[in-house]
Amino acid sequence: MGESAAQGLVLTHGAGGDRDQHTLVALDEGLAPLPVERINFPYRNQGRRPPDRVPKLLAFLREEIPAIARRLEVEPGHLVLGGRSMGGRMCSMAVAEGMPAAGLVLLSYPLHPPKKPENLRTEHFDAIEVPCLFISGDRDPFGTPEEFEQYLPAIGGPVTTVWLEGEGHDPKKADAAIVAAVAGWLATL
């Protein structure tokens, strides 16, 4: 794909977080000069805690991502999309529905709710055809390395996984490792 496949990164937050979550800020600072846009879903800007329902979150991304591409003066297909937990999941669902992207960065992807492995959030995986980077703690209650190994083969694009040893759903001491992993992966696009 050449050097210019990733001309920007759009990061979304988890259900209880916002655009200023420490890992998202670390990526923004650590990936310079690559343009990084950290965005809040509207419910966070309105000061509400519980997230909106999936259709509303996806509708927001369908509006916001093309606007970001225009602002950065890049083709939408040259943006890498992703984020933490719910935000990354929403980006992966938007791409599965046909939103152009150079790839997906999925931090602490919520494969299922904690202690509910039967409630899988993988039904759209077979419609994802772009390169994907999954970074999770190996003790994340939202999905074990073994569970990811079972479900990631459904994704059509190339998949890279990075496991953060001893970390849970919100890796506290791993920002430098996450930035290094994302930077290294972006260089392969």
Side-chain angles (χ1 to χ4, degrees):
M1 285 174 99
E3 284 179 50
S4 61
Q7 296 176 1
L9 174 62
V10 178
L11 294 171
T12 56
H13 56 80
D18 64 25
R19 66 184 299 276
D20 295 326
Q21 191 268 347
H22 62 90
T23 304
L24 303 183
V25 171
L27 284 164
D28 189 352
E29 294 169 354
L31 294 174
L34 181 75
V36 176
E37 294 269 337
R38 295 175 288 118
I39 59 173
N40 276 345
F41 286 104
Y43 76 92
R44 294 305 292 154
N45 290 335
Q46 295 159 3
R48 293 186 287 118
R49 289 294 298 169
D52 290 316
R53 298 216 176 270
V54 169
K56 194 168 185 179
L57 297 173
L58 289 175
F60 168 72
L61 290 177
R62 281 193 293 271
E63 276 184 33
E64 189 67 14
I65 303 296
I68 290 170
R70 284 191 299 275
R71 196 163 58 245
L72 295 177
E73 298 180 354
V74 301
E75 291 295 318
H78 287 291
L79 289 176
V80 174
L81 309 179
R84 270 193 42 78
S85 194
M86 177 203 78
R89 178 177 169 233
M90 292 305 112
C91 288
S92 71
M93 292 173 74
V95 168
E97 289 181 353
M99 179 175 285
L104 286 166
V105 171
L106 305 169
L107 310 171
S108 299
Y109 185 89
L111 204 58
H112 56 69
K115 298 183 177 136
K116 294 184 179 174
E118 67 282 1
N119 292 2
L120 285 169
R121 295 165 172 159
T122 59
E123 61 284 341
H124 63 291
F125 277 11
D126 62 354
I128 298 174
E129 299 290 335
V130 301
C132 296
L133 173 63
F134 286 83
I135 302 177
S136 290
D138 64 359
R139 296 185 180 166
D140 190 334
F142 287 80
T144 65
E146 295 75 25
E147 288 170 321
F148 276 93
E149 199 175 296
Q150 184 179 348
Y151 296 107
L152 293 184
I155 295 173
V159 174
T160 304
T161 53
V162 174
W163 296 106
L164 305 169
E165 195 175 330
E167 292 283 3
H169 192 59
D170 184 12
K172 297 289 187 208
K173 299 180 181 81
D175 285 350
I178 292 169
V179 170
V182 172
W185 179 80
L186 288 170
T188 69
L189 296 181

